[in-house]
């Protein structure tokens, strides 16, 4: 699976909803129900590809379940309140790390 945030072609749904695309089925959209309040900058899949972390200029991180895409995402609001989130990465299946323009590295445990 891949996440696309492009505004044309295989991309963002209504508003700023990223699409989860199934690469095994000719990039068929799986969902676009997740919503972001601002443009996304970084996306990272957990090691088992079950979760995906999305972050952007709104300083929030959304953690979405790829196996149950209709479930509400875990929202980490104002993860970097003093700057844009530049990167999210997974350390393991439950831990996501983010860096921001505020020169901070933050770690979050995601309970599933």
């Amino acid at each position: 699976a891949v996440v696309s945030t492009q505004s044309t072609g295989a991309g963002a749904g209504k508003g700023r909803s990223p699409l989860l695309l199934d690469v095994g089925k000719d990039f068929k959209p799986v969902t676009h129900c997740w919503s972001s309040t601002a443009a996304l900058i970084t996306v990272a899949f957990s090691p088992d590809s079950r979760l995906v972390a999305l972050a952007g200029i709104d300083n929030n991180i959304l953690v979405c379940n790829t196996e149950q895409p209709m479930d509400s995402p875990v929202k980490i609001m104002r993860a970097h309140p003093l700057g844009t989130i530049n990167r999210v990465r997974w350390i393991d299946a439950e831990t996501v790390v983010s860096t921001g323009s505020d020169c901070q590295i933050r770690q979050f445990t995601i309970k599933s």
Side-chain angles (χ1 to χ4, degrees):
V2 296
V3 173
S4 175
T5 59
Q6 300 299 313
S7 59
T8 59
K14 294 180 180 179
R16 295 190 184 272
S17 299
L19 288 174
L20 178 66
L21 305 174
D22 187 339
V23 296
K25 296 183 180 176
D26 296 325
F27 293 91
K28 179 182 175 188
V30 175
T31 186
H32 66 271
C33 295
W34 308 325
S35 62
S36 175
T37 59
L40 295 176
I41 293 175
T42 181
V43 175
F45 285 89
S46 63
D48 60 4
S49 297
R50 192 176 59 80
L51 300 174
V52 60
L54 312 160
I57 62 173
D58 62 358
N59 306 334
N60 301 324
I61 299 172
L62 298 178
V63 178
C64 306
N65 188 327
T66 61
E67 294 174 349
Q68 298 175 351
M70 299 304 286
D71 287 357
S72 294
V74 173
K75 296 179 182 178
I76 304 168
M77 305 304 286
R78 298 187 48 81
H80 287 266
L82 300 177
T84 301
I85 298 171
N86 298 325
R87 190 77 61 218
V88 290
R89 290 293 179 257
W90 291 86
I91 294 176
D92 56 36
E94 295 183 341
T95 310
V96 66
V97 172
S98 63
T99 61
S101 61
D102 58 1
C103 299
Q104 299 292 313
I105 300 172
R106 302 217 167 159
Q107 179 175 313
F108 304 94
T109 301
I110 309 301
K111 301 288 184 184
S112 51

